[in-house]
């Protein structure tokens, strides 16, 4: 099948042989945690009892929006959270995270990132952009991860920082972002969360959960996090959610977040779904299937580029904690060639030719490839690459494993 596909696409001998070897390498891989994730989502729907009349949603202020209430209750069940805000008014994962952090860390109090420097757009919002959170009075410090065969927390440094009674919250970014480091598993986070709570029960643990939802059988809120936040056009959107973000966790902390998002006294009682409740709920139902397809496709991509001699992380068949595959290409020219070739395999805008450029929220020029049905939805196949050392491209998402494989083969040929 691989050889026939490559012949049809005019793929050269070297990439065809690597694709065939990659297919054999990953053909027998199994994803047992995905069975647990599927069971958890099915159980949540059975327990919730969604009715067809719940799907219509509302307009205007959104009071008593049945679709919103059902959707947020479903997410709370799946995340093991007391309460969830999932709103179109949260326009991105970064917006949701910044809203959560601003609600948890008043001016004059301190936020500690214990996973090093965060993703570019969040670091920009914290430190660089006009009206950033530090300029508004938040105190911010970082503790780098300890990078070996895997990423681990610097627990001694965390304990030293927690001795400062001004620390109000700690922040963890699960996914690698644009950093050359592994993503963080729930198992890696759980003992550190327990130690933080042992030392400082008052400190709020906030986790950037982007790209990690439904990949493992548990979420950070099952492991002691007080809040998680992310985008609805990533994993939980199931390629159907049209936009939005979520914040989930402790009810008392979510009350503070709702006051920050809307206005004190309004709580979470408003926020219309504008007729998209059906897409949100339907997308969540199919999300575990889509996530599994991503994982299968990314394992093939990892195997393909490893066969071609590139460094990849995670390695094919390794435990995955998110839907991002890092491929170290080593030069701006290769990043550009990869993204431009991948674009030709997109279902939308395949004739476009991406070029590096400045993007709001990013410090360095970035090249991106995307042709999604939902604009910017990174649960659909895409890639990002900041033009800086070590010149890694981050391949993510994919509605079907076959599309990820096709995109990877075409992108590999583009490097020849």
């Amino acid at each position: 099948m691989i050889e026939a596909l490559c012949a049809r696409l005019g793929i050269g001998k070297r990439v065809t042989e690597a694709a065939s070897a990659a297919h054999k390498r990953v053909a027998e891989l199994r994803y047992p945690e995905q069975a647990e994730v599927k069971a958890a989502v099915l159980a949540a729907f059975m327990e919730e009892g969604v009715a067809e009349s719940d799907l219509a949603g509302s307009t205007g202020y959104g009071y008593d929006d049945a679709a919103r209430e059902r959707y947020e209750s479903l997410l709370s069940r799946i995340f093991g959270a007391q309460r969830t805000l999932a709103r179109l008014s949260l326009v991105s994962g970064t917006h949701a995270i910044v809203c959560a952090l601003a609600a948890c860390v008043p001016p004059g109090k301190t936020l500690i990132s214990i996973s090093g420097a965060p993703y570019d757009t969040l670091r920009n919002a914290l430190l660089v952009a006009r009206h950033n959170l530090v300029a508004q009075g938040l105190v911010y410090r970082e503790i780098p991860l300890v990078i070996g065969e895997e990423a681990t927390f610097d627990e001694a440094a965390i304990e030293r920082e927690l001795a400062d009674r001004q620390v109000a919250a700690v922040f963890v970014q699960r996914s690698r972002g644009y950093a050359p480091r592994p993503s963080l598993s729930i198992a890696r986070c759980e003992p550190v969360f327990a130690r933080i709570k042992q030392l400082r029960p008052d400190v709020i643990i906030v986790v950037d959960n982007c790209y990690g939802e439904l990949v493992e059988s548990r979420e950070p809120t099952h492991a002691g996090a007080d809040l998680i936040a992310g985008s609805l056009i990533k994993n939980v959107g199931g390629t159907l959610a049209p936009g939005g973000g979520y914040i989930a966790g402790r009810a008392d902390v979510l009350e503070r977040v709702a006051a920050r998002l809307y206005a004190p006294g309004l709580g979470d009682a408003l926020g219309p779904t504008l007729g998209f409740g059906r897409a949100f709920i339907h997308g969540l139902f199919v999300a575990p299937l889509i996530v599994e397809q991503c994982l299968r496709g990314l394992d093939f991509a990892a195997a393909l580029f490893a066969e071609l001699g590139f460094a990849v992380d995670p390695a094919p068949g390794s435990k995955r904690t998110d839907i991002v595959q890092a491929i170290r290409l080593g030069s701006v020219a290769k990043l550009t060639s990869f993204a431009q070739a991948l674009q030709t395999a997109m279902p939308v805008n395949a004739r476009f030719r991406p070029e590096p450029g400045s993007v709001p929220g990013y410090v360095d020029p970035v090249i991106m490839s995307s042709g999604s049905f939902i604009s910017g939805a990174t649960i659909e196949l895409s890639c990002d690459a900041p033009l800086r050392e070590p010149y890694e491209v981050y391949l993510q998402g994919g509605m079907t494993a076959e599309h990820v494989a096709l995109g990877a083969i075409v992108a590999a040929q583009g490097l020849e």
Side-chain angles (χ1 to χ4, degrees), residues 173-194:
Q173 178 180 291
R174 281 186 68 192
S175 186
R176 71 183 63 244
Y178 281 172
R181 58 93 160 170
S183 300
L184 296 166
S185 68
I186 301 298
R188 177 63 60 190
C189 293
E190 188 167 26
V192 177
F193 292 173

Side-chain angles (χ1 to χ4, degrees), residues 46-290:
M46 292 174 68
E47 293 161 2
E48 188 63 29
V50 177
E52 187 173 356
S53 58
D54 294 330
L55 303 179
S58 66
T59 58
Y61 294 123
Y63 291 126
D64 302 314
D65 187 308
R68 184 191 71 225
E69 291 174 3
R70 287 298 193 195
Y71 184 54
E72 291 180 345
S73 181
L74 284 164
L75 286 172
S76 293
R77 292 178 187 276
I78 293 164
F79 288 146
Q82 294 177 351
R83 187 172 171 185
T84 299
L85 291 174
R87 307 296 169 96
L88 284 166
S89 49
L90 290 165
V91 297
S92 69
T94 298
H95 183 197
I97 296 160
V98 169
C99 183
L101 294 176
C104 294
V105 187
K109 295 292 186 177
T110 301
L111 170 68
I112 306 293
S113 171
I114 63 171
S115 52
Y119 185 67
D120 289 42
T121 54
L122 181 57
R123 187 172 177 83
N124 190 51
L126 285 167
L127 295 168
V128 179
R130 293 180 63 190
H131 316 301
N132 64 71
L133 293 187
V134 168
Q136 295 177 40
L138 175 146
V139 179
Y140 175 74
R141 295 196 292 272
E142 294 173 358
I143 300 174
L145 289 167
V146 179
I147 307 298
E149 291 186 6
E150 58 181 321
T152 59
F153 294 99
D154 187 339
E155 296 187 41
I158 293 170
E159 292 192 16
R160 288 194 298 271
E161 288 285 3
L162 292 177
D164 179 0
R165 304 307 297 185
Q166 293 300 107
V167 174
V170 298
F171 171 75
V172 174
Q173 178 180 291
R174 281 186 68 192
S175 186
R176 71 183 63 244
Y178 281 172
R181 58 93 160 170
S183 300
L184 296 166
S185 68
I186 301 298
R188 177 63 60 190
C189 293
E190 188 167 26
V192 177
F193 292 173
R195 182 59 176 159
I196 291 169
K197 287 299 182 181
Q198 181 184 32
L199 294 170
R200 290 285 304 278
D202 59 308
V203 166
I204 298 171
I205 300 171
V206 182
V207 178
D208 171 1
N209 207 30
C210 288
Y211 302 104
E213 303 94 342
L214 308 180
V215 174
E216 298 188 73
S217 59
R218 297 191 302 156
E219 301 291 332
T221 30
H222 293 117
D226 297 297
L227 286 183
I228 57 175
S231 169
L232 295 178
I233 59 171
K234 292 184 172 67
N235 303 26
V236 295
T239 76
L240 296 176
Y246 75 87
I247 307 167
R250 276 172 42 193
D252 60 323
V253 184
L254 258 294
E255 185 175 350
R256 292 162 59 177
V257 173
R260 174 65 167 71
L261 176 61
Y262 294 112
L266 294 180
D268 62 353
L270 38 68
T273 51
L274 301 175
F276 292 112
R278 184 183 302 272
F280 285 129
I281 294 171
H282 186 182
L284 181 59
F285 185 75
V286 301
L289 305 177
I290 302 295

Side-chain angles (χ1 to χ4, degrees), residues 328-337 386-388 390-392 415:
R328 187 163 297 187
L329 298 179
S331 72
V332 172
K334 283 189 168 71
L335 294 179
T336 304
S337 296
L387 272 57
R388 64 182 182 227
Y391 302 113
E392 288 188 333
L415 300 176

